[in-house]
Amino acid sequence: MTDACILIVDDEPAIRDMVAVALEVAGFKCLRAENARTAYTLIIDEQPDLILLDWMMPETSGIELLRRLRRDELTSEVPVILLTAKAEEDNLVQGLDAGADDYVAKPFSPRELIARVRALLRRRDLGRQEEPIRVQRLMYDPVSHYVSIDGVPAAMGPTEFRLLGFFLTHQDRVYSRDQILNHVWGGNVYMDERTVDVHIRRLRKALGDHDKLVQTVRGAGYRFSEKLVGN
Amino acid sequence: MTDACILIVDDEPAIRDMVAVALEVAGFKCLRAENARTAYTLIIDEQPDLILLDWMMPETSGIELLRRLRRDELTSEVPVILLTAKAEEDNLVQGLDAGADDYVAKPFSPRELIARVRALLRRRDLGRQEEPIRVQRLMYDPVSHYVSIDGVPAAMGPTEFRLLGFFLTHQDRVYSRDQILNHVWGGNVYMDERTVDVHIRRLRKALGDHDKLVQTVRGAGYRFSEKLVGN
DNA sequence: CACCCTTGTGTCGATATTGTGACAGTGGTG
DNA sequence: CACCACTGTCACAATATCGACACAAGGGTG
């Protein structure tokens, strides 16, 4: 979330830079494009997490690009915020109907923009597993953000919680330290693989007598499974 | 009631506008969406008081959207009226099973539609929390707008009162600062998330020795719960 | 048995997140 | 106008978590 990548599409360099700088200060990574063609290439290649799209641009307009994105399954999910000049506000419905997730009218305050960006990124993170998962006497409830064993709360840090969540939704399969790093820590972080070992250890401790669910596969990685206790 | 906000979801612009105009004349505020995606966004952001949902739509159908709404606690309460073509009437049971509160078959008279909308909104207003809520030695009375602990009045500001009310009706679940802002401050407010922290602090102080009911979930948000003291 | 590679464990400084008190601005009221 | 309650923001303190590291333990191999 902190290092989400945001594409800014606007034909005016001044606005492009202003927005980019504001977002970078707020901790986001930014890509810039000055027209729809460049933007499209970047979207395909870099798969940004969110797009800030100017409505009025020479050649292909923002709306056209937006429609194109929504049509293609590969790009139809990425959140888009439209940047519109005051005069265009009437057409807002058109923009939202084309598939924009939100809009910001120029001139806008960086604070507001960042707030909306954050809101959209957060929403992207929602809409996933909602039901509690039970394994043996272990209960994992993503809604209340809570894990218990025999009804007794199991204390663990946020990373262990995410790690457990990952395992519960990917059972009976070996994952290398590197894969676990990518899935649980999210994004392309380069970190010491041994860090995974440490958090595995912490997770096991938190799981008490269910620690056997997290299995070491020598030379390969880790596996979460009720079965396959041998090997 | 007079300024209730109604979301109209239909892929045909003609119907969308016809319905919207009729409702606006009747004194309602309207939002429009032409597909399920836009609709979902608006529902999350604007939290309409009622939804008119077309059954047949390209991509995600109305029924699918409805099921999704009912699954998520955040949106499971909003009343939904299905708009169906005559030919689809056979499937009505399916629609009602999915969680629709009512349906109107096309073509329909605006008069009938408005009557049904009014009826549903009335029911919503009745079903509103009117009874005092008790948790341990805490009593929260929305009618008299009054909170007490062991019969002793607990002084708190309006914001803390609303915050407490929100928590009491959404217990045992973690909410992010952003979600709390949207629910308690209402609508699209763009405010510093840390404001929530401060009001949490004020609420805890007002709750005296019941302050443990408001629990911090590191990296996630806050949760109101009698149980789940650990973690 | 000695060696080596892989994995497990405890601890520590740095960092991130949250709690707390203070302050200034606002709007209502007498 | 003075007063008061309430609100949002900030700076700083307190705390929890993270990633790295050092070392221990275990198992396989020649």
Side-chain angles (χ1 to χ4, degrees):
Chain A
M1 168 75 173
T2 39
D3 52 354
C5 176
I6 297 172
L7 173 63
I8 300 151
V9 191
D10 198 312
D11 57 312
E12 286 181 66
I15 294 186
R16 223 162 49 223
D17 289 336
M18 188 271 274
V19 172
V21 168
L23 287 170
E24 275 161 2
V25 166
F28 298 102
K29 221 180 94 184
C30 292
L31 298 171
R32 295 157 218 222
E34 72 166 341
N35 57 49
R37 170 201 305 281
T38 318
Y40 192 71
T41 307
L42 279 170
I43 292 161
I44 300 295
D45 286 350
E46 305 285 340
Q47 299 192 213
D49 301 296
L50 186 142
I51 300 173
L52 294 175
L53 185 58
D54 187 27
W55 181 308
M56 290 292 292
M57 287 189 298
E59 302 173 49
T60 317
S61 81
I63 287 291
E64 279 176 81
L65 176 59
L66 178 54
R67 289 222 177 82
R68 186 149 144 227
L69 292 178
R70 293 306 182 221
R71 234 178 288 129
D72 184 352
E73 194 190 334
L74 260 179
T75 58
S76 63
E77 292 299 331
V78 57
V80 171
I81 297 180
L82 277 183
L83 307 178
T84 73
K86 263 278 190 291
E88 301 157 9
E89 274 197 350
D90 299 336
N91 306 327
L92 257 183
V93 178
Q94 191 188 339
L96 292 172
D97 279 353
D101 296 277
D102 201 351
Y103 74 95
V104 179
K106 299 179 191 178
F108 45 81
S109 76
R111 177 192 295 269
E112 180 188 347
L113 183 67
I114 287 168
R116 287 178 187 260
V117 166
R118 287 230 169 84
L120 267 183
L121 287 176
R122 209 169 300 117
R123 186 191 311 156
R124 175 202 58 171
D125 294 337
L126 293 174
R128 56 190 168 199
Q129 182 67 38
E130 286 281 302
E131 292 300 304
I133 304 175
R134 280 163 223 280
V135 172
Q136 295 178 14
R137 287 148 32 235
L138 171 74
M139 197 268 289
Y140 171 93
D141 185 356
V143 169
S144 56
H145 210 276
Y146 169 77
V147 177
S148 67
I149 298 170
D150 282 329
V152 181
M156 65 182 71
T159 306
E160 285 72 39
F161 188 82
R162 270 182 286 127
L163 183 58
L164 177 57
F166 168 71
F167 274 137
L168 283 168
T169 51
H170 299 81
Q171 298 188 33
D172 302 320
R173 179 187 160 132
V174 181
Y175 289 91
S176 70
R177 291 176 171 69
D178 191 55
Q179 290 176 305
I180 293 173
L181 223 38
N182 280 334
H183 275 102
V184 176
W185 274 254
N188 297 335
V189 272
Y190 179 72
M191 253 187 320
D192 191 337
E193 291 194 345
R194 288 156 174 273
T195 297
V196 175
D197 295 37
V198 178
H199 286 277
I200 290 280
R201 150 77 176 136
R202 290 169 177 163
L203 177 57
R204 278 177 174 151
K205 189 184 274 185
L207 292 183
D209 61 358
H210 282 60
D211 57 350
K212 298 290 185 299
L213 289 169
V214 182
Q215 297 155 11
T216 303
V217 183
R218 287 187 83 98
Y222 295 95
R223 175 181 57 202
F224 189 97
S225 176
E226 297 188 72
K227 306 162 288 189
L228 310 178
V229 274
N231 190 350
Chain B
M1 170 71 171
T2 38
D3 53 353
C5 175
I6 297 172
L7 172 64
I8 300 151
V9 190
D10 198 309
D11 57 311
E12 286 182 67
I15 294 187
R16 223 161 52 223
D17 290 336
M18 187 271 274
V19 173
V21 169
L23 288 170
E24 275 160 2
V25 167
F28 298 102
K29 218 180 98 185
C30 290
L31 298 170
R32 297 157 218 223
E34 75 164 338
N35 57 48
R37 165 205 304 284
T38 316
Y40 191 70
T41 304
L42 282 170
I43 292 162
I44 299 294
D45 285 350
E46 306 286 341
Q47 301 187 222
D49 300 296
L50 185 144
I51 299 172
L52 295 174
L53 184 58
D54 187 27
W55 182 309
M56 290 292 291
M57 288 189 297
E59 302 173 48
T60 315
S61 80
I63 288 290
E64 279 174 81
L65 176 60
L66 179 53
R67 290 218 179 83
R68 186 152 147 223
L69 292 178
R70 292 309 183 219
R71 234 180 289 128
D72 185 354
E73 194 194 334
L74 266 175
T75 58
S76 64
E77 292 300 330
V78 56
V80 171
I81 298 180
L82 275 182
L83 307 177
T84 72
K86 264 277 192 292
E88 301 156 9
E89 276 197 350
D90 300 336
N91 306 327
L92 259 182
V93 180
Q94 192 188 338
L96 294 172
D97 277 355
D101 296 276
D102 200 353
Y103 73 95
V104 180
K106 298 180 193 175
F108 46 80
S109 76
R111 177 190 298 268
E112 179 190 351
L113 183 66
I114 288 168
R116 287 177 187 261
V117 165
R118 286 230 168 84
L120 266 183
L121 287 176
R122 210 172 302 120
R123 188 201 302 168
R124 176 205 61 165
D125 290 339
L126 286 180
R128 276 257 171 84
Q129 182 65 39
E130 290 283 307
E131 293 299 303
I133 304 176
R134 278 163 224 278
V135 172
Q136 296 178 15
R137 287 147 33 234
L138 172 75
M139 199 269 289
Y140 171 93
D141 185 353
V143 172
S144 56
H145 211 273
Y146 170 75
V147 178
S148 67
I149 297 170
D150 281 330
V152 180
M156 65 182 72
T159 307
E160 285 71 39
F161 188 82
R162 270 181 287 126
L163 184 58
L164 177 58
F166 168 71
F167 273 137
L168 283 168
T169 50
H170 299 81
Q171 298 188 32
D172 302 320
R173 173 176 173 139
V174 177
Y175 290 91
S176 71
R177 291 174 171 72
D178 190 59
Q179 290 176 307
I180 293 174
L181 269 184
N182 280 335
H183 278 275
V184 177
W185 275 254
N188 280 347
V189 272
Y190 299 97
M191 246 183 330
D192 191 339
E193 291 194 343
R194 297 174 63 78
T195 297
V196 175
D197 295 38
V198 177
H199 285 277
I200 290 280
R201 150 89 174 127
R202 290 167 178 164
L203 176 58
R204 277 177 175 151
K205 191 183 272 184
L207 292 182
D209 61 358
H210 283 60
D211 58 350
K212 298 289 183 300
L213 289 170
V214 182
Q215 297 156 10
T216 303
V217 181
R218 225 161 211 275
Y222 295 95
R223 175 180 57 202
F224 188 97
S225 177
E226 296 189 73
K227 309 163 291 187
L228 310 180
V229 275
N231 194 348

